[in-house]
Amino acid sequence: MTGARTGRADYAEVVAMRGAGGRAGRNARRPAALALAALVLVPAAGCGTLDSGSRARTHVLAADQPFTHPGVLVGKAQLDAVRKNVTAGKQPWLTAYLDMRDSEYGSYKYRARPVADVSCPGGDVGDVPGAGCVEEREDAIAAYTQALLFTVTGKRRHAAKAAEIMDAWSARLTRHSRAGAGLQAGWTGGTWARAAEIVRHTEGAGWPKDRVRRFATMLRTAHLPHVTGTAPDRRGDRDLTAIDAALSIAVFLDDRKTFDASLARFRERVPSVFYLEKDGPLPRTQAGSAAKTPEQVRASWFRQRTFKDGLTQETCRGFAHVGHAVAATAHAAETAWQQGVDLYEDAADRLRAALALHAPYQEGRPAPGWLCGGRIERDLGPALEVALNHLENRLDTPVPAAHRLAVTTRPAGTDGFFVAWETLTHAGNPGT
């Protein structure tokens, strides 16, 4: 997450600094010019007509119930709230908007860098220079950024830029390859679907139908095969990222079979990634896992031997992986929520426990000996907002340490992978 902003400037400085920022989300500090918000915004285009907030949530999507559009991570009610908060100059949304707008992702000069074969190695890197891995992740975030800018400002030029980026990739990309293909498709598939949902289903965007079909083909052929199916012993954050991407793509494609299968995968997978003491002395494992003995289970949890509420499979690997697991879980549950399905009922207690456990250590509390031998890597990232919004604003369930951490690190920017601008879209925004 980016830190709290200080050092205010006048409006002339905002204009002069416009376009500054880095593709990793390291944005220059921006002023919170409350009274000047109306000077930089124009009335926004209207979004789709179905409002997920009016639905009663169920366990599955009814056979006769159509998908809600836009409905990947953010829905119409939330996008309306974003626009209203920004145009009214309210915080933290205005500062979050200015950070997004003034990042490189928000520039009209942004240029896509598509390749035909995104070839990514395994491990944690996934970014061989020239193989398209970083380029695809960043371009997907840029398309989503431009789509959000369009909904806030109503400026069709932003929609055109988002479409330009997506068209460039759908014209070239044919596959993801090498050992990191699944992770790359997971990171980018969800982000692409978010951007495409907004542009396709917001009035006035003007994305031609043939380009929409071509983009849908790209997601169906180059991404979806890598993020469907089961992988019992894949690391939790990777599997949850794949589930998030599969759900997101399914909504964009109106693919009920993939959507339903992803709901089932989510409900099976989440309890094996986030531990609660009610699970027993050891974490739960997925059906088909090779971890059969207590020692094998502990090994898959990076040899952690003491299990307490909120511990995750990768806590001892590093908090960055915890952040990705939290974000992917919340993203998938939020997309389902937009479709009238309550996945949070299967995950809320585990997300709450994970946030409560990790937030104090992220803030700097020394790790006790029982936790990863007293050695932890504090890099949770901008992962809190979606989960915290559901817990606090829909369930009225406080998570004090996580709330404090979120407030002191707002506005959340982007991690350069698949998390972007969630203070803007989800802070205090139940969308119901």
Side-chain angles (χ1 to χ4, degrees), residues 3-327:
R5 273 18 185 194
T6 59
R8 300 304 185 208
D10 61 23
Y11 182 65
E13 288 182 79
V14 179
V15 175
M17 293 188 296
R18 184 168 182 166
R23 290 187 173 177
R26 297 184 294 271
N27 303 322
R29 300 185 185 278
R30 298 290 178 246
L34 303 183
L36 294 165
L39 297 177
V40 297
L41 304 172
V42 298
C47 295
T49 57
L50 289 177
D51 183 355
S52 62
S54 64
R55 292 188 187 181
R57 267 72 189 182
T58 60
H59 192 72
V60 296
L61 189 64
D64 61 348
Q65 180 64 57
F67 285 104
T68 299
H69 300 293
V72 174
L73 187 62
V74 288
K76 180 183 183 300
Q78 287 173 318
L79 292 169
D80 287 346
V82 168
R83 183 173 63 254
K84 290 175 182 177
N85 285 333
V86 173
T87 55
K90 294 182 178 180
Q91 295 291 16
W93 304 282
L94 178 59
T95 301
Y97 165 79
L98 292 173
D99 267 22
M100 180 181 74
R101 184 200 68 180
D102 296 330
S103 71
E104 187 170 356
Y105 298 113
S107 172
Y108 288 131
K109 296 181 180 179
Y110 193 96
R111 291 291 179 266
R113 299 153 294 165
V115 298
D117 179 3
V118 175
S119 178
C120 305
D124 297 335
V125 183
D127 57 358
V128 171
C133 306
V134 173
E135 291 86 350
E136 187 190 11
R137 294 199 303 266
E138 292 182 343
D139 286 1
I141 291 171
Y144 180 54
T145 300
Q146 296 286 341
L148 288 174
L149 287 168
F150 173 56
T151 66
V152 174
T153 68
K155 294 179 180 179
R156 188 180 176 279
R157 192 175 176 186
H158 286 302
K161 176 58 68 173
E164 174 190 301
I165 295 167
M166 292 187 287
D167 290 347
W169 277 90
S170 67
R172 291 205 64 190
L173 181 64
T174 60
R175 68 172 190 156
H176 293 88
S177 62
R178 300 184 66 189
L183 184 56
Q184 177 74 12
W187 281 332
T188 58
T191 310
W192 283 130
R194 283 176 233 158
E197 270 285 291
I198 293 173
V199 177
R200 182 183 185 182
H201 296 287
T202 303
E203 183 181 350
W207 195 13
K209 290 183 179 180
D210 63 322
R211 299 300 176 86
V212 173
R213 288 193 295 269
R214 191 175 73 188
F215 192 78
T217 297
M218 181 191 82
L219 293 181
R220 185 180 296 107
T221 60
H223 293 82
L224 201 56
H226 293 289
V227 296
T228 51
T230 59
D233 292 311
R234 185 160 54 192
R235 296 298 182 197
D237 69 325
R238 298 188 178 200
D239 214 20
L240 291 168
T241 300
I243 293 169
D244 169 31
L247 266 176
S248 301
I249 294 169
V251 171
F252 180 71
L253 298 179
D254 289 309
D255 181 346
R256 186 174 297 270
K257 181 179 179 180
T258 297
F259 184 82
D260 291 345
S262 299
L263 297 181
R265 287 176 62 203
F266 179 97
R267 292 183 169 114
E268 168 72 15
R269 192 63 170 114
V270 168
S272 68
V273 177
F274 299 90
Y275 175 79
L276 290 177
E277 292 176 10
K278 68 180 183 180
D279 296 334
L282 291 172
R284 294 167 60 172
T285 58
Q286 264 196 300
S289 172
K292 304 297 185 184
T293 69
E295 281 307 309
Q296 288 171 335
V297 172
R298 294 187 187 102
S300 71
W301 283 59
F302 293 84
R303 306 201 178 280
Q304 175 69 13
R305 303 194 69 82
T306 301
F307 297 95
K308 297 187 178 183
D309 279 350
L311 197 74
T312 80
Q313 185 188 33
E314 297 179 279
T315 297
C316 296
R317 184 184 181 193
F319 279 19
H321 301 282
V322 177
H324 278 193
V326 167

